[in-house]
Amino acid sequence: MKRSITLLDVLLVLVSFVTWVAGDVSYCQQKTPLEVRPHSVTITEFGAVGDGKTLNTKAFHNAIFYLQSFADKGGAQLFVPAGRWLTGGFVLISHLTLLLDKEAIILGSTDSDDWPIVDALPSYGRGRELPGGRHRSLIYGENLVDVIITGDNGTVDGQGSVWWNRFRNGTLNYTRPHLVELMNSSEVVISNLTFKNSPFWTIHPVYCSQVLVQNVTILAPLDSPNTDGIDPDSSNNVCIEDCYISTGDDLISIKSGWDEYGISYASPSSNITIRRLTGETGLGAGIAIGSEMSGGISNVHADSLRFFNSDHGIRIKTAPGRGGYIRKVYISDLTLTNVRIAIRFSGQFGEHPDEFYDLKALPRIEKISIKDVRGENISTAGLLEGLKDDNFINICLSNITLSVTKQPAWNCSYVQGYSNLVSPRTCDLLGGKIYPDHLSDCYRLSNHLRSMVGRKKEGSILPC
């Protein structure tokens, strides 16, 4: 069952792993491209029918089971040709490439029985929507290494409307499934594909490391509930770049567990790089951090961002009982058009998994730098709401120019920080100018701003 190499295989030459260097964005830089897998089969060799009606779950299962014997022989590839391939959930293996033809569409079954029930994540303690277990994702993997999901812009369509309707009608029995979820896995590449209509969050790497999501398109109706684009969760060394996302909720949402379960599991998200991201969201944010952040989130770098027709640009979400921390976040080169709130911090956001959370477990939010932001037709520049007796500190804003339609442009409470070259002028709580002594409080200020501060005479006031 070995297929000869075609032009589609050449796509793999374009798929690259990442150089992973903790604490630096260099882990997004590509190294030598991968070679074509030495063993390859086509899904039709296992009886699959691409008519959009025949259920092909067994064919996917049998093909991957067969390819498992090649895992220690250079890995293997499962090719999905042109067609509409209806399937329930299936499970990937290590050293596998799932390769979709340009005209290939993997369709998620609309029968919930074809999406198996699995245990809740230990860092959540229950299903995110309902107590108990949850439906497993359409494409799933656990404890894997060296996994590639790619193609010539083929499509994975979750046909999520049936799930959205059940959510709206209150008829779900378990938490809705993701479209792709990989757990406890490393050396993961997801690239050159379109993902549509996920029942819930679309791409969910959880407890993973060394993850590259590159050149993907993610689509769902702007009113579809909780259809986040990409949600790195308790994961580290994640690179997201060159993506277009248009969904009903957050385009990117960084997470790390929920209340006492996330605190106990203690698996942070760190070293997350996001760059060259474009999109719109109905009810969410371009980039959100939280609200499930109890394991901690740090070292987030995002730049070259374009968000339009959206509810929020950048949002940080947390609540008493979350514990954990969000620190060392650096966001730059952000363009916003027709966005309701450009920057929002919410200290009282979201529900709790159960009654056992500790209300005294307060989150620590610090060292958040946002710079080089331009915005047109923005309703509110910033709504920054920290927590009483738990201020969000060292919030640094620089070189931000927004065309705002409502007043006041900024509304702040329980936050502390610094600002420079912000128009309209920011709130008094962030009115402290950035002096040289404060540079260490502002995470990774640009060399330009450092040099500008250095040229100021001691004791002078920077323009704001």
Side-chain angles (χ1 to χ4, degrees):
M1 292 185 175
K2 189 172 181 179
R3 186 175 64 86
S4 60
I5 293 174
T6 70
L7 289 176
L8 281 171
D9 293 304
V10 178
L11 286 169
L12 294 181
V13 177
L14 303 177
V15 179
S16 304
F17 277 114
V18 180
T19 302
W20 310 101
V21 180
D24 196 323
V25 295
S26 59
Y27 54 75
C28 259
Q29 296 175 355
Q30 298 176 350
K31 63 178 184 180
T32 305
L34 295 172
E35 296 180 358
V36 174
R37 304 282 194 188
H39 305 279
S40 180
V41 297
T42 302
I43 192 64
T44 54
E45 297 177 54
F46 297 84
V49 179
D51 59 3
K53 300 177 181 178
T54 302
L55 189 66
N56 295 297
T57 312
K58 186 175 181 180
F60 276 97
H61 171 80
N62 289 343
I64 293 170
F65 180 80
Y66 169 78
L67 292 174
Q68 195 162 12
S69 62
F70 299 104
D72 60 349
K73 300 178 178 65
Q77 173 181 289
L78 174 58
F79 175 64
V80 182
R84 296 171 59 83
W85 308 93
L86 182 68
T87 181
F90 59 92
V91 180
L92 305 181
I93 58 174
S94 293
H95 309 294
L96 176 73
T97 296
L98 176 65
L99 176 66
L100 276 66
D101 180 81
K102 182 178 181 180
E103 302 298 327
I105 303 175
I106 293 178
L107 292 170
S109 170
T110 57
D111 185 345
S112 62
D113 290 340
D114 294 324
W115 303 67
I117 305 301
V118 294
D119 291 338
L121 293 169
S123 58
Y124 283 71
R126 46 160 277 186
R128 183 58 187 82
E129 297 182 289
L130 294 169
R134 60 203 181 99
H135 287 278
R136 196 181 68 196
S137 63
L138 183 67
I139 301 174
Y140 178 78
E142 186 173 1
N143 299 318
L144 305 182
V145 64
D146 178 19
V147 178
I148 304 170
I149 304 170
T150 190
D152 185 15
N153 200 32
T155 299
V156 180
D157 187 342
Q159 301 198 101
S161 60
V162 64
W163 298 94
W164 308 333
N165 290 335
R166 291 178 65 190
F167 169 78
R168 294 180 179 119
N169 297 334
T171 57
L172 289 170
N173 295 318
Y174 299 93
T175 292
R176 288 172 286 162
H178 310 301
L179 204 52
V180 178
E181 181 179 72
L182 297 173
M183 289 179 57
N184 293 304
S185 299
S186 64
E187 297 178 27
V188 174
V189 174
I190 302 174
S191 68
N192 302 313
L193 290 172
T194 295
F195 297 90
K196 296 174 59 177
N197 302 321
S198 177
F200 197 43
W201 308 340
T202 305
I203 298 176
H204 185 223
V206 57
Y207 320 138
C208 287
S209 65
Q210 303 176 29
V211 178
L212 171 64
V213 183
Q214 182 185 66
N215 194 31
V216 304
T217 299
I218 299 176
L219 304 173
L222 294 178
D223 64 348
S224 56
N226 311 111
T227 51
D228 295 9
I230 305 168
D231 287 15
D233 196 343
S234 292
S235 293
N236 63 83
N237 293 344
V238 177
C239 181
I240 300 167
E241 60 182 13
D242 300 305
C243 295
Y244 177 85
I245 305 175
S246 176
T247 62
D249 211 328
D250 301 325
L251 307 187
I252 307 291
S253 187
I254 304 170
K255 303 176 181 292
S256 68
W258 199 9
D259 285 6
E260 70 270 25
Y261 302 103
I263 293 171
S264 176
Y265 198 73
S267 180
S269 282
S270 64
N271 295 335
I272 312 290
T273 294
I274 304 160
R275 56 189 188 182
R276 297 185 298 277
L277 172 68
T278 301
E280 62 179 326
T281 167
L283 298 175
I287 293 178
I289 304 177
S291 71
E292 308 90 339
M293 40 65 66
S294 303
I297 296 170
S298 66
N299 293 312
V300 177
H301 298 250
D303 68 79
S304 303
L305 312 170
R306 308 290 180 266
F307 304 140
F308 57 92
N309 302 338
S310 297
D311 202 42
H312 296 85
I314 303 298
R315 191 168 191 187
I316 289 177
K317 301 180 283 189
T318 188
R322 291 288 191 265
Y325 55 84
I326 298 172
R327 64 168 67 108
K328 295 184 178 179
V329 175
Y330 181 83
I331 296 171
S332 67
D333 187 13
L334 168 63
T335 300
L336 303 173
T337 306
N338 300 328
V339 172
R340 188 171 69 90
I341 302 177
I343 302 169
R344 186 170 188 179
F345 299 170
S346 303
Q348 296 277 4
F349 184 91
E351 68 276 19
H352 302 279
D354 52 38
E355 69 275 21
F356 302 114
Y357 69 95
D358 180 4
L359 191 60
K360 296 180 181 179
L362 298 178
R364 181 75 171 174
I365 312 300
E366 60 183 347
K367 286 186 177 289
I368 314 295
S369 293
I370 301 175
K371 65 182 290 289
D372 299 341
V373 181
R374 303 157 298 280
E376 294 293 331
N377 195 26
I378 308 300
S379 295
T380 299
L383 183 55
L384 310 181
E385 301 169 320
L387 289 168
K388 186 177 182 180
D389 301 322
D390 185 34
N391 286 1
F392 297 178
I393 64 172
N394 296 337
I395 310 302
C396 299
L397 307 178
S398 174
N399 193 27
I400 297 175
T401 302
L402 302 172
S403 174
V404 176
T405 61
K406 292 184 178 180
Q407 295 297 327
W410 297 85
N411 195 327
C412 306
S413 59
Y414 307 118
V415 296
Q416 298 174 11
Y418 313 94
S419 61
N420 182 69
L421 299 174
V422 177
S423 176
R425 184 184 178 95
T426 188
C427 48
D428 291 342
L429 292 176
L430 300 181
K433 311 306 184 292
I434 303 174
Y435 294 103
D437 290 344
H438 300 145
L439 288 179
S440 60
D441 297 334
C442 297
Y443 184 56
R444 256 196 78 182
L445 279 174
S446 69
N447 291 333
H448 168 73
L449 184 54
R450 288 178 186 273
S451 63
M452 181 174 65
V453 172
R455 288 196 302 269
K456 296 293 178 179
K457 293 182 180 180
E458 185 176 352
S460 64
I461 298 176
L462 290 174
C464 186

